[in-house]
Amino acid sequence: MGDVIAMMFNTAVFAAALRMATPLIFAALGGIFSERSGVVNIALEGMMLTGAFTAMFVTYHTGMPWVGVLGAMLAGGLIGLIHAIFCVRYRANQVVTGTAINIFAGGLTVFLLRFFFGTAGTSPSVTTIPDITLPVLSSIPWIDRILGRQNPLVYLALVAVVVVHIVIYKTPWGLRLRAVGEHPRAADTVGVNVFKMRYISVVISGALAGLGGTYLSIAHLSRFSEGMTAGRGFIALAAVIFGKWTPLGALGACLFFGYADALQMRLQDIGIPTQFMNMLPYVLTMVALAGFIGRAVGPKASGEPYIKG
Amino acid sequence: MGKVLEMRAITKQFPRVLANDKVDFDLNHGEIHALVGENGSGKSTLMSILYGLYQKDGGEIIVRGQPVQITEPRQAIDLKIGMVFQHFMLIEPLTVAENIVLGSEIRKGPFLDHKRMVSEVERLSEEYGLKIDPNAKVADLSVGLQQRVEILKALYRGADILILDEPTAVLTPQEVEDLFEVLNTLKSKGTSIVFITHKIKEVLAVSDRVSVLRRGKKIGTKSTAETNEQELAEMMVGRVVLLRVEKGPAKPGREVLRLDGVTVKDQFGHVKVNNVSLTVRSGEVLGIAGVEGNGQSELVEAIAGLTKVAGGSIHLSNQDITGWSPLRVRRAGFGLVPEDRHRRGLVLDYSVADNLILGLHGSKPFVHNGLRSEKKIAEHAEELIRDYDIRPPVASQPARALSGGNQQKIVVAREFTQNPDLLICSQPTRGVDVGAIEFIHQQVIAQRDQGAAVLLVSAELDEVLSLSDRVAVMYNGEIVNVMPIEEVTEHKLGFLMLGGRPEEYDANEVSGSADQD
Ligand SMILES: Nc1ncnc2c1ncn2[C@@H]1O[C@H](COP(=O)(O)OP(=O)(O)OP(=O)(O)O)[C@@H](O)[C@H]1O
Ligand SMILES: [Mg+2]
């Protein structure tokens, strides 16, 4: 028992939690943009997977992981665009479209992996984004062991949370975003272009999810492997709901899920089944949706296509 | 003076209806122009065309002497046209200031200038006497205040042509007074106003001119000073309208509804209905007058089984129905015209025919061998559409496509044809045109005369006075007084509705009657 307690407060576990949370944070921020604009995005999983593959692929050919990051964001954004065209222009069912994208991305990445590398399962190893030491943080005791030395993407994720928070709550565009997902017709009557807002938001959503995927293939590991997102897109979506569609809330949820993940790896050693911890995000999401800790109410128009006139 | 707006020969064809048929409409500088007409006569459509929400199929629009094309709300806003919609266009989780500036935000660099947003709203609200807290969340505001936000939205965008689509339908009498004051202030500052309403009294009270639409056609425009209630009603409906209900004396029979010390609390534990005891007999109409929000809604919901009762008991035809499910209450002989037809009375996406059998959809003639009997459902719909003059008479249309008044007729038709022992009508004529009001009122009396016990809840004094046999006043969750209709005056009701005690009124009456006219 003492072991477990010690482990729970171990700085190494905290540092690992942050790393596990990073891909979730990017994808969850993406989910927030999409949902806030009124488009349900369960395609986060597929977008992450596409991002993970593209990052590896571009890095493999250029040798420059940051170019890989860019490529992953573009690829994710492209998938976002496809999602938006179906959901906004053709008013397709958003859950069905999202599911289709997930299946499509799963198949496509496997196909491309075999086509280009002739391998099944995993890609060759590529250059990764190396960890860096932050001068200020690394001189503060205790904090330094968690935040002092990490991957740049980890820091970027934390910065992104702040940026997204500011965009959503402090800018005119963010105000419109919140309006469009809540009551699109009202936004329309004051001259806000609902369709444009939704297109942009879903594309951003895809780019961010793609960025989340990047972390998996060229930072956390140095290769792409089939289905390597392993449900993280859905966990990110759970974090969006658990965090009540706010960037800070989602950050908290991602950190929590990341922590559970990090702890789980340690607890395995002392015989606590993994499955238990893996269930956690979903169980908590159901708890949140059921309203045990203050009701989680999403943007009202989320999931509904907007029809003018 | 001069015209700020001219609409010429505006035509709009919807898939099944010609909503506007070569309608001419104009607006003078600084006037209040009332636009009236039956439900579905095309008022909202005409104004939505002006605001760029609908595209006209014919005609032209001239704003301040210039012919214009308005295909987007943005263009209307740029032409300084503002519109307050029949169903508010507010984003509930956002603050008042955020709602007001949305789409035309005040910026500081790339950011919202929150301080100036708030001060701008404060300045406007000061200038026009529209008091409001800029930082309040819209969801927390009363309907009257939400409407203020809507008006401020238009003013913030510099509107000097302001359209208000049935602004009074959802307001309490006091709020209506306040609104009229605001409209007069606006008018004195040079704003030109289009004011849509169903209430002829309001037209006479506040407008300079009035235009009447009927079935998509413009019937005429009159100077308000040169017309009267009866003439306007006839122009609207196309026939002579009885503005007073004709009814014989009530013949009260057995006791149908009995409430003993009923108390209802809301989800936070606040008492909404406090120890109310009442009886309603068959063959009589008991009217409950009161400013909205004094517990009437909760009382009705408690009787209908939609809310838990915290104390006391409810008897329907000598059965204790306290705590019964809504369906069980209905089956015990209960009909309800709910105050909010969208939330409780209709499923907007269902067809008119299906809406006409809601609640009966599982019972006899409409179900045969466990399957829907489409023939019976269609026959039923046809019959009710005819009897209740629901327009357009198309049973297969979704209820959403009908105008507000016609939606209300669906609910009334469904509930009344059940011939329930107890009929509760909550704001039965809200948003309904004069012709339909006349009809619904006649039906209420017909139900009474067939032996139904009718409980009428209304914020309209006229309605309470003309239909009730006895009147109860509800204030702050309590029944203040129950009196036979002969003892009721409008003045006394108003006094009691605002929290006056019956004893005080009688005392004041004696001393104050000398200076009454
Ligand atoms: N979007 C729409 N699609 C089809 N028909 C419509 C639509 N909007 C309105 N109509 C029809 O056009 C006619 C005019 O409707 P409108 O809403 O303008 O009436 P209104 O005068 O405002 O009535 P009310 O007093 O009940 O609000 C009605 O018959 C209505 O059913
Ligand atoms: Mg209307």
mmCIF file with all atom_site columns, all heavy atoms in Angstrom, chain B residues 8 89 97 114 116 124 138 162 185 199 227-228 255 264 273 337-338 341 351 362 450 500 504 513:
data_model
loop_
_atom_site.group_PDB
_atom_site.id
_atom_site.type_symbol
_atom_site.label_atom_id
_atom_site.label_alt_id
_atom_site.label_comp_id
_atom_site.label_asym_id
_atom_site.label_entity_id
_atom_site.label_seq_id
_atom_site.pdbx_PDB_ins_code
_atom_site.Cartn_x
_atom_site.Cartn_y
_atom_site.Cartn_z
_atom_site.occupancy
_atom_site.B_iso_or_equiv
_atom_site.pdbx_formal_charge
_atom_site.auth_seq_id
_atom_site.auth_comp_id
_atom_site.auth_asym_id
_atom_site.auth_atom_id
_atom_site.pdbx_PDB_model_num
ATOM 1   N N   . ARG B 1 8   ? -42.953 47.855 -52.410 1.00 0.00 ? 8   ARG B N   1
ATOM 2   C CA  . ARG B 1 8   ? -43.972 47.887 -53.458 1.00 0.00 ? 8   ARG B CA  1
ATOM 3   C C   . ARG B 1 8   ? -44.220 46.507 -54.033 1.00 0.00 ? 8   ARG B C   1
ATOM 4   O O   . ARG B 1 8   ? -43.266 45.842 -54.467 1.00 0.00 ? 8   ARG B O   1
ATOM 5   C CB  . ARG B 1 8   ? -43.506 48.806 -54.595 1.00 0.00 ? 8   ARG B CB  1
ATOM 6   C CG  . ARG B 1 8   ? -43.556 50.264 -54.224 1.00 0.00 ? 8   ARG B CG  1
ATOM 7   C CD  . ARG B 1 8   ? -43.357 51.120 -55.470 1.00 0.00 ? 8   ARG B CD  1
ATOM 8   N NE  . ARG B 1 8   ? -43.028 52.476 -55.079 1.00 0.00 ? 8   ARG B NE  1
ATOM 9   C CZ  . ARG B 1 8   ? -42.143 53.250 -55.697 1.00 0.00 ? 8   ARG B CZ  1
ATOM 10  N NH1 . ARG B 1 8   ? -41.495 52.794 -56.748 1.00 0.00 ? 8   ARG B NH1 1
ATOM 11  N NH2 . ARG B 1 8   ? -41.914 54.464 -55.264 1.00 0.00 ? 8   ARG B NH2 1
ATOM 12  N N   . MET B 1 89  ? -33.891 36.116 -30.782 1.00 0.00 ? 89  MET B N   1
ATOM 13  C CA  . MET B 1 89  ? -32.654 35.623 -31.372 1.00 0.00 ? 89  MET B CA  1
ATOM 14  C C   . MET B 1 89  ? -31.506 35.945 -30.425 1.00 0.00 ? 89  MET B C   1
ATOM 15  O O   . MET B 1 89  ? -30.647 36.761 -30.727 1.00 0.00 ? 89  MET B O   1
ATOM 16  C CB  . MET B 1 89  ? -32.435 36.302 -32.731 1.00 0.00 ? 89  MET B CB  1
ATOM 17  C CG  . MET B 1 89  ? -33.440 35.892 -33.766 1.00 0.00 ? 89  MET B CG  1
ATOM 18  S SD  . MET B 1 89  ? -33.177 34.170 -34.247 1.00 0.00 ? 89  MET B SD  1
ATOM 19  C CE  . MET B 1 89  ? -34.565 33.936 -35.357 1.00 0.00 ? 89  MET B CE  1
ATOM 20  N N   . ALA B 1 97  ? -24.057 42.156 -22.864 1.00 0.00 ? 97  ALA B N   1
ATOM 21  C CA  . ALA B 1 97  ? -23.168 42.946 -23.715 1.00 0.00 ? 97  ALA B CA  1
ATOM 22  C C   . ALA B 1 97  ? -22.672 42.118 -24.899 1.00 0.00 ? 97  ALA B C   1
ATOM 23  O O   . ALA B 1 97  ? -22.630 42.609 -26.029 1.00 0.00 ? 97  ALA B O   1
ATOM 24  C CB  . ALA B 1 97  ? -21.987 43.465 -22.899 1.00 0.00 ? 97  ALA B CB  1
ATOM 25  N N   . HIS B 1 114 ? -13.680 44.622 -23.859 1.00 0.00 ? 114 HIS B N   1
ATOM 26  C CA  . HIS B 1 114 ? -14.793 44.325 -22.963 1.00 0.00 ? 114 HIS B CA  1
ATOM 27  C C   . HIS B 1 114 ? -15.282 45.561 -22.233 1.00 0.00 ? 114 HIS B C   1
ATOM 28  O O   . HIS B 1 114 ? -16.482 45.793 -22.097 1.00 0.00 ? 114 HIS B O   1
ATOM 29  C CB  . HIS B 1 114 ? -14.367 43.237 -21.963 1.00 0.00 ? 114 HIS B CB  1
ATOM 30  C CG  . HIS B 1 114 ? -15.503 42.705 -21.166 1.00 0.00 ? 114 HIS B CG  1
ATOM 31  N ND1 . HIS B 1 114 ? -15.741 43.092 -19.873 1.00 0.00 ? 114 HIS B ND1 1
ATOM 32  C CD2 . HIS B 1 114 ? -16.498 41.853 -21.504 1.00 0.00 ? 114 HIS B CD2 1
ATOM 33  C CE1 . HIS B 1 114 ? -16.831 42.493 -19.446 1.00 0.00 ? 114 HIS B CE1 1
ATOM 34  N NE2 . HIS B 1 114 ? -17.305 41.727 -20.404 1.00 0.00 ? 114 HIS B NE2 1
ATOM 35  N N   . ARG B 1 116 ? -15.167 48.735 -23.149 1.00 0.00 ? 116 ARG B N   1
ATOM 36  C CA  . ARG B 1 116 ? -15.951 49.650 -23.984 1.00 0.00 ? 116 ARG B CA  1
ATOM 37  C C   . ARG B 1 116 ? -17.276 49.030 -24.404 1.00 0.00 ? 116 ARG B C   1
ATOM 38  O O   . ARG B 1 116 ? -18.272 49.727 -24.591 1.00 0.00 ? 116 ARG B O   1
ATOM 39  C CB  . ARG B 1 116 ? -15.152 50.083 -25.213 1.00 0.00 ? 116 ARG B CB  1
ATOM 40  C CG  . ARG B 1 116 ? -14.357 51.352 -24.927 1.00 0.00 ? 116 ARG B CG  1
ATOM 41  C CD  . ARG B 1 116 ? -13.653 51.873 -26.165 1.00 0.00 ? 116 ARG B CD  1
ATOM 42  N NE  . ARG B 1 116 ? -14.516 52.034 -27.327 1.00 0.00 ? 116 ARG B NE  1
ATOM 43  C CZ  . ARG B 1 116 ? -14.118 51.821 -28.584 1.00 0.00 ? 116 ARG B CZ  1
ATOM 44  N NH1 . ARG B 1 116 ? -12.895 51.418 -28.825 1.00 0.00 ? 116 ARG B NH1 1
ATOM 45  N NH2 . ARG B 1 116 ? -14.955 52.008 -29.586 1.00 0.00 ? 116 ARG B NH2 1
ATOM 46  N N   . LEU B 1 124 ? -26.131 53.395 -24.153 1.00 0.00 ? 124 LEU B N   1
ATOM 47  C CA  . LEU B 1 124 ? -27.375 53.210 -24.898 1.00 0.00 ? 124 LEU B CA  1
ATOM 48  C C   . LEU B 1 124 ? -28.553 53.023 -23.949 1.00 0.00 ? 124 LEU B C   1
ATOM 49  O O   . LEU B 1 124 ? -29.627 53.593 -24.151 1.00 0.00 ? 124 LEU B O   1
ATOM 50  C CB  . LEU B 1 124 ? -27.269 51.978 -25.795 1.00 0.00 ? 124 LEU B CB  1
ATOM 51  C CG  . LEU B 1 124 ? -26.601 52.145 -27.145 1.00 0.00 ? 124 LEU B CG  1
ATOM 52  C CD1 . LEU B 1 124 ? -26.446 50.790 -27.796 1.00 0.00 ? 124 LEU B CD1 1
ATOM 53  C CD2 . LEU B 1 124 ? -27.418 53.063 -28.036 1.00 0.00 ? 124 LEU B CD2 1
ATOM 54  N N   . VAL B 1 138 ? -27.847 36.241 -20.359 1.00 0.00 ? 138 VAL B N   1
ATOM 55  C CA  . VAL B 1 138 ? -29.183 36.366 -20.938 1.00 0.00 ? 138 VAL B CA  1
ATOM 56  C C   . VAL B 1 138 ? -30.131 35.284 -20.421 1.00 0.00 ? 138 VAL B C   1
ATOM 57  O O   . VAL B 1 138 ? -31.309 35.540 -20.192 1.00 0.00 ? 138 VAL B O   1
ATOM 58  C CB  . VAL B 1 138 ? -29.097 36.345 -22.474 1.00 0.00 ? 138 VAL B CB  1
ATOM 59  C CG1 . VAL B 1 138 ? -30.455 36.128 -23.100 1.00 0.00 ? 138 VAL B CG1 1
ATOM 60  C CG2 . VAL B 1 138 ? -28.503 37.658 -22.969 1.00 0.00 ? 138 VAL B CG2 1
ATOM 61  N N   . LEU B 1 162 ? -37.026 50.357 -37.095 1.00 0.00 ? 162 LEU B N   1
ATOM 62  C CA  . LEU B 1 162 ? -37.060 49.258 -36.139 1.00 0.00 ? 162 LEU B CA  1
ATOM 63  C C   . LEU B 1 162 ? -38.345 48.454 -36.325 1.00 0.00 ? 162 LEU B C   1
ATOM 64  O O   . LEU B 1 162 ? -39.444 49.004 -36.296 1.00 0.00 ? 162 LEU B O   1
ATOM 65  C CB  . LEU B 1 162 ? -36.982 49.811 -34.716 1.00 0.00 ? 162 LEU B CB  1
ATOM 66  C CG  . LEU B 1 162 ? -36.917 48.797 -33.580 1.00 0.00 ? 162 LEU B CG  1
ATOM 67  C CD1 . LEU B 1 162 ? -35.672 47.938 -33.681 1.00 0.00 ? 162 LEU B CD1 1
ATOM 68  C CD2 . LEU B 1 162 ? -36.936 49.502 -32.224 1.00 0.00 ? 162 LEU B CD2 1
ATOM 69  N N   . THR B 1 185 ? -40.312 57.036 -26.725 1.00 0.00 ? 185 THR B N   1
ATOM 70  C CA  . THR B 1 185 ? -39.005 57.701 -26.631 1.00 0.00 ? 185 THR B CA  1
ATOM 71  C C   . THR B 1 185 ? -38.268 57.582 -27.956 1.00 0.00 ? 185 THR B C   1
ATOM 72  O O   . THR B 1 185 ? -37.736 58.556 -28.489 1.00 0.00 ? 185 THR B O   1
ATOM 73  C CB  . THR B 1 185 ? -38.136 57.035 -25.539 1.00 0.00 ? 185 THR B CB  1
ATOM 74  O OG1 . THR B 1 185 ? -38.908 56.925 -24.356 1.00 0.00 ? 185 THR B OG1 1
ATOM 75  C CG2 . THR B 1 185 ? -36.875 57.842 -25.267 1.00 0.00 ? 185 THR B CG2 1
ATOM 76  N N   . LYS B 1 199 ? -53.243 42.642 -30.892 1.00 0.00 ? 199 LYS B N   1
ATOM 77  C CA  . LYS B 1 199 ? -54.143 43.278 -29.950 1.00 0.00 ? 199 LYS B CA  1
ATOM 78  C C   . LYS B 1 199 ? -54.540 44.670 -30.437 1.00 0.00 ? 199 LYS B C   1
ATOM 79  O O   . LYS B 1 199 ? -53.712 45.574 -30.497 1.00 0.00 ? 199 LYS B O   1
ATOM 80  C CB  . LYS B 1 199 ? -53.479 43.337 -28.575 1.00 0.00 ? 199 LYS B CB  1
ATOM 81  C CG  . LYS B 1 199 ? -53.246 41.936 -28.063 1.00 0.00 ? 199 LYS B CG  1
ATOM 82  C CD  . LYS B 1 199 ? -52.517 41.905 -26.771 1.00 0.00 ? 199 LYS B CD  1
ATOM 83  C CE  . LYS B 1 199 ? -52.052 40.473 -26.490 1.00 0.00 ? 199 LYS B CE  1
ATOM 84  N NZ  . LYS B 1 199 ? -50.941 40.439 -25.559 1.00 0.00 ? 199 LYS B NZ  1
ATOM 85  N N   . THR B 1 227 ? -59.883 55.371 -37.046 1.00 0.00 ? 227 THR B N   1
ATOM 86  C CA  . THR B 1 227 ? -60.481 54.041 -37.092 1.00 0.00 ? 227 THR B CA  1
ATOM 87  C C   . THR B 1 227 ? -60.858 53.608 -35.680 1.00 0.00 ? 227 THR B C   1
ATOM 88  O O   . THR B 1 227 ? -60.663 54.359 -34.723 1.00 0.00 ? 227 THR B O   1
ATOM 89  C CB  . THR B 1 227 ? -59.520 53.025 -37.748 1.00 0.00 ? 227 THR B CB  1
ATOM 90  O OG1 . THR B 1 227 ? -60.182 51.777 -37.871 1.00 0.00 ? 227 THR B OG1 1
ATOM 91  C CG2 . THR B 1 227 ? -58.251 52.865 -36.928 1.00 0.00 ? 227 THR B CG2 1
ATOM 92  N N   . ASN B 1 228 ? -61.424 52.436 -35.567 1.00 0.00 ? 228 ASN B N   1
ATOM 93  C CA  . ASN B 1 228 ? -61.807 51.952 -34.239 1.00 0.00 ? 228 ASN B CA  1
ATOM 94  C C   . ASN B 1 228 ? -61.688 50.449 -34.172 1.00 0.00 ? 228 ASN B C   1
ATOM 95  O O   . ASN B 1 228 ? -61.401 49.789 -35.173 1.00 0.00 ? 228 ASN B O   1
ATOM 96  C CB  . ASN B 1 228 ? -63.229 52.391 -33.907 1.00 0.00 ? 228 ASN B CB  1
ATOM 97  C CG  . ASN B 1 228 ? -64.215 51.868 -34.939 1.00 0.00 ? 228 ASN B CG  1
ATOM 98  O OD1 . ASN B 1 228 ? -64.236 50.679 -35.257 1.00 0.00 ? 228 ASN B OD1 1
ATOM 99  N ND2 . ASN B 1 228 ? -65.022 52.775 -35.501 1.00 0.00 ? 228 ASN B ND2 1
ATOM 100 N N   . GLU B 1 255 ? -68.806 18.691 -8.055  1.00 0.00 ? 255 GLU B N   1
ATOM 101 C CA  . GLU B 1 255 ? -67.425 19.154 -7.906  1.00 0.00 ? 255 GLU B CA  1
ATOM 102 C C   . GLU B 1 255 ? -66.505 18.242 -8.724  1.00 0.00 ? 255 GLU B C   1
ATOM 103 O O   . GLU B 1 255 ? -66.529 17.029 -8.559  1.00 0.00 ? 255 GLU B O   1
ATOM 104 C CB  . GLU B 1 255 ? -67.085 19.059 -6.427  1.00 0.00 ? 255 GLU B CB  1
ATOM 105 C CG  . GLU B 1 255 ? -65.747 19.576 -6.043  1.00 0.00 ? 255 GLU B CG  1
ATOM 106 C CD  . GLU B 1 255 ? -65.565 19.430 -4.534  1.00 0.00 ? 255 GLU B CD  1
ATOM 107 O OE1 . GLU B 1 255 ? -66.142 20.251 -3.794  1.00 0.00 ? 255 GLU B OE1 1
ATOM 108 O OE2 . GLU B 1 255 ? -64.884 18.475 -4.118  1.00 0.00 ? 255 GLU B OE2 1
ATOM 109 N N   . VAL B 1 264 ? -46.259 23.515 -3.933  1.00 0.00 ? 264 VAL B N   1
ATOM 110 C CA  . VAL B 1 264 ? -45.294 23.036 -4.919  1.00 0.00 ? 264 VAL B CA  1
ATOM 111 C C   . VAL B 1 264 ? -43.993 23.789 -4.723  1.00 0.00 ? 264 VAL B C   1
ATOM 112 O O   . VAL B 1 264 ? -44.001 25.001 -4.518  1.00 0.00 ? 264 VAL B O   1
ATOM 113 C CB  . VAL B 1 264 ? -45.816 23.259 -6.359  1.00 0.00 ? 264 VAL B CB  1
ATOM 114 C CG1 . VAL B 1 264 ? -44.799 22.741 -7.377  1.00 0.00 ? 264 VAL B CG1 1
ATOM 115 C CG2 . VAL B 1 264 ? -47.158 22.593 -6.569  1.00 0.00 ? 264 VAL B CG2 1
ATOM 116 N N   . VAL B 1 273 ? -45.963 27.393 -5.124  1.00 0.00 ? 273 VAL B N   1
ATOM 117 C CA  . VAL B 1 273 ? -47.394 27.395 -4.875  1.00 0.00 ? 273 VAL B CA  1
ATOM 118 C C   . VAL B 1 273 ? -47.560 27.123 -3.390  1.00 0.00 ? 273 VAL B C   1
ATOM 119 O O   . VAL B 1 273 ? -47.018 26.150 -2.871  1.00 0.00 ? 273 VAL B O   1
ATOM 120 C CB  . VAL B 1 273 ? -48.104 26.295 -5.687  1.00 0.00 ? 273 VAL B CB  1
ATOM 121 C CG1 . VAL B 1 273 ? -49.584 26.246 -5.335  1.00 0.00 ? 273 VAL B CG1 1
ATOM 122 C CG2 . VAL B 1 273 ? -47.913 26.521 -7.172  1.00 0.00 ? 273 VAL B CG2 1
ATOM 123 N N   . VAL B 1 337 ? -54.624 22.766 -22.279 1.00 0.00 ? 337 VAL B N   1
ATOM 124 C CA  . VAL B 1 337 ? -54.015 23.624 -23.296 1.00 0.00 ? 337 VAL B CA  1
ATOM 125 C C   . VAL B 1 337 ? -52.859 24.322 -22.577 1.00 0.00 ? 337 VAL B C   1
ATOM 126 O O   . VAL B 1 337 ? -53.076 25.219 -21.778 1.00 0.00 ? 337 VAL B O   1
ATOM 127 C CB  . VAL B 1 337 ? -55.017 24.662 -23.836 1.00 0.00 ? 337 VAL B CB  1
ATOM 128 C CG1 . VAL B 1 337 ? -54.341 25.590 -24.835 1.00 0.00 ? 337 VAL B CG1 1
ATOM 129 C CG2 . VAL B 1 337 ? -56.200 23.952 -24.470 1.00 0.00 ? 337 VAL B CG2 1
ATOM 130 N N   . PRO B 1 338 ? -51.633 23.861 -22.831 1.00 0.00 ? 338 PRO B N   1
ATOM 131 C CA  . PRO B 1 338 ? -50.507 24.363 -22.030 1.00 0.00 ? 338 PRO B CA  1
ATOM 132 C C   . PRO B 1 338 ? -50.079 25.765 -22.472 1.00 0.00 ? 338 PRO B C   1
ATOM 133 O O   . PRO B 1 338 ? -50.325 26.162 -23.606 1.00 0.00 ? 338 PRO B O   1
ATOM 134 C CB  . PRO B 1 338 ? -49.394 23.362 -22.320 1.00 0.00 ? 338 PRO B CB  1
ATOM 135 C CG  . PRO B 1 338 ? -49.711 22.808 -23.657 1.00 0.00 ? 338 PRO B CG  1
ATOM 136 C CD  . PRO B 1 338 ? -51.202 22.905 -23.852 1.00 0.00 ? 338 PRO B CD  1
ATOM 137 N N   . ARG B 1 341 ? -46.875 26.270 -26.052 1.00 0.00 ? 341 ARG B N   1
ATOM 138 C CA  . ARG B 1 341 ? -47.274 25.226 -26.995 1.00 0.00 ? 341 ARG B CA  1
ATOM 139 C C   . ARG B 1 341 ? -46.067 24.524 -27.593 1.00 0.00 ? 341 ARG B C   1
ATOM 140 O O   . ARG B 1 341 ? -46.130 23.359 -27.926 1.00 0.00 ? 341 ARG B O   1
ATOM 141 C CB  . ARG B 1 341 ? -48.166 25.794 -28.080 1.00 0.00 ? 341 ARG B CB  1
ATOM 142 C CG  . ARG B 1 341 ? -47.581 26.964 -28.824 1.00 0.00 ? 341 ARG B CG  1
ATOM 143 C CD  . ARG B 1 341 ? -48.564 27.498 -29.851 1.00 0.00 ? 341 ARG B CD  1
ATOM 144 N NE  . ARG B 1 341 ? -48.106 28.761 -30.362 1.00 0.00 ? 341 ARG B NE  1
ATOM 145 C CZ  . ARG B 1 341 ? -48.662 29.921 -30.099 1.00 0.00 ? 341 ARG B CZ  1
ATOM 146 N NH1 . ARG B 1 341 ? -49.729 29.980 -29.341 1.00 0.00 ? 341 ARG B NH1 1
ATOM 147 N NH2 . ARG B 1 341 ? -48.174 31.039 -30.596 1.00 0.00 ? 341 ARG B NH2 1
ATOM 148 N N   . SER B 1 351 ? -46.296 15.749 -38.139 1.00 0.00 ? 351 SER B N   1
ATOM 149 C CA  . SER B 1 351 ? -47.320 16.315 -39.006 1.00 0.00 ? 351 SER B CA  1
ATOM 150 C C   . SER B 1 351 ? -48.481 16.845 -38.163 1.00 0.00 ? 351 SER B C   1
ATOM 151 O O   . SER B 1 351 ? -48.624 16.497 -36.985 1.00 0.00 ? 351 SER B O   1
ATOM 152 C CB  . SER B 1 351 ? -47.847 15.241 -39.957 1.00 0.00 ? 351 SER B CB  1
ATOM 153 O OG  . SER B 1 351 ? -48.557 14.276 -39.207 1.00 0.00 ? 351 SER B OG  1
ATOM 154 N N   . GLY B 1 362 ? -51.962 6.000  -28.594 1.00 0.00 ? 362 GLY B N   1
ATOM 155 C CA  . GLY B 1 362 ? -51.908 4.592  -28.234 1.00 0.00 ? 362 GLY B CA  1
ATOM 156 C C   . GLY B 1 362 ? -53.287 4.001  -27.998 1.00 0.00 ? 362 GLY B C   1
ATOM 157 O O   . GLY B 1 362 ? -53.417 2.844  -27.637 1.00 0.00 ? 362 GLY B O   1
ATOM 158 N N   . GLN B 1 450 ? -71.391 22.057 -21.957 1.00 0.00 ? 450 GLN B N   1
ATOM 159 C CA  . GLN B 1 450 ? -71.543 20.600 -22.040 1.00 0.00 ? 450 GLN B CA  1
ATOM 160 C C   . GLN B 1 450 ? -71.212 19.919 -20.724 1.00 0.00 ? 450 GLN B C   1
ATOM 161 O O   . GLN B 1 450 ? -71.157 18.696 -20.653 1.00 0.00 ? 450 GLN B O   1
ATOM 162 C CB  . GLN B 1 450 ? -70.602 20.034 -23.097 1.00 0.00 ? 450 GLN B CB  1
ATOM 163 C CG  . GLN B 1 450 ? -71.085 20.209 -24.509 1.00 0.00 ? 450 GLN B CG  1
ATOM 164 C CD  . GLN B 1 450 ? -70.009 19.795 -25.490 1.00 0.00 ? 450 GLN B CD  1
ATOM 165 O OE1 . GLN B 1 450 ? -69.232 18.879 -25.221 1.00 0.00 ? 450 GLN B OE1 1
ATOM 166 N NE2 . GLN B 1 450 ? -69.948 20.461 -26.618 1.00 0.00 ? 450 GLN B NE2 1
ATOM 167 N N   . GLY B 1 500 ? -52.124 43.666 -3.740  1.00 0.00 ? 500 GLY B N   1
ATOM 168 C CA  . GLY B 1 500 ? -53.012 44.317 -2.779  1.00 0.00 ? 500 GLY B CA  1
ATOM 169 C C   . GLY B 1 500 ? -53.876 43.288 -2.060  1.00 0.00 ? 500 GLY B C   1
ATOM 170 O O   . GLY B 1 500 ? -54.147 42.211 -2.588  1.00 0.00 ? 500 GLY B O   1
ATOM 171 N N   . GLU B 1 504 ? -57.973 45.792 2.011   1.00 0.00 ? 504 GLU B N   1
ATOM 172 C CA  . GLU B 1 504 ? -57.504 47.148 1.714   1.00 0.00 ? 504 GLU B CA  1
ATOM 173 C C   . GLU B 1 504 ? -58.314 47.755 0.579   1.00 0.00 ? 504 GLU B C   1
ATOM 174 O O   . GLU B 1 504 ? -58.670 48.922 0.599   1.00 0.00 ? 504 GLU B O   1
ATOM 175 C CB  . GLU B 1 504 ? -56.041 47.133 1.253   1.00 0.00 ? 504 GLU B CB  1
ATOM 176 C CG  . GLU B 1 504 ? -55.032 46.755 2.315   1.00 0.00 ? 504 GLU B CG  1
ATOM 177 C CD  . GLU B 1 504 ? -53.670 46.483 1.679   1.00 0.00 ? 504 GLU B CD  1
ATOM 178 O OE1 . GLU B 1 504 ? -53.337 47.149 0.682   1.00 0.00 ? 504 GLU B OE1 1
ATOM 179 O OE2 . GLU B 1 504 ? -52.958 45.585 2.171   1.00 0.00 ? 504 GLU B OE2 1
ATOM 180 N N   . SER B 1 513 ? -63.985 56.329 -3.846  1.00 0.00 ? 513 SER B N   1
ATOM 181 C CA  . SER B 1 513 ? -64.946 56.276 -4.950  1.00 0.00 ? 513 SER B CA  1
ATOM 182 C C   . SER B 1 513 ? -65.443 57.649 -5.355  1.00 0.00 ? 513 SER B C   1
ATOM 183 O O   . SER B 1 513 ? -65.868 57.860 -6.480  1.00 0.00 ? 513 SER B O   1
ATOM 184 C CB  . SER B 1 513 ? -66.134 55.380 -4.578  1.00 0.00 ? 513 SER B CB  1
ATOM 185 O OG  . SER B 1 513 ? -66.665 55.826 -3.355  1.00 0.00 ? 513 SER B OG  1
#
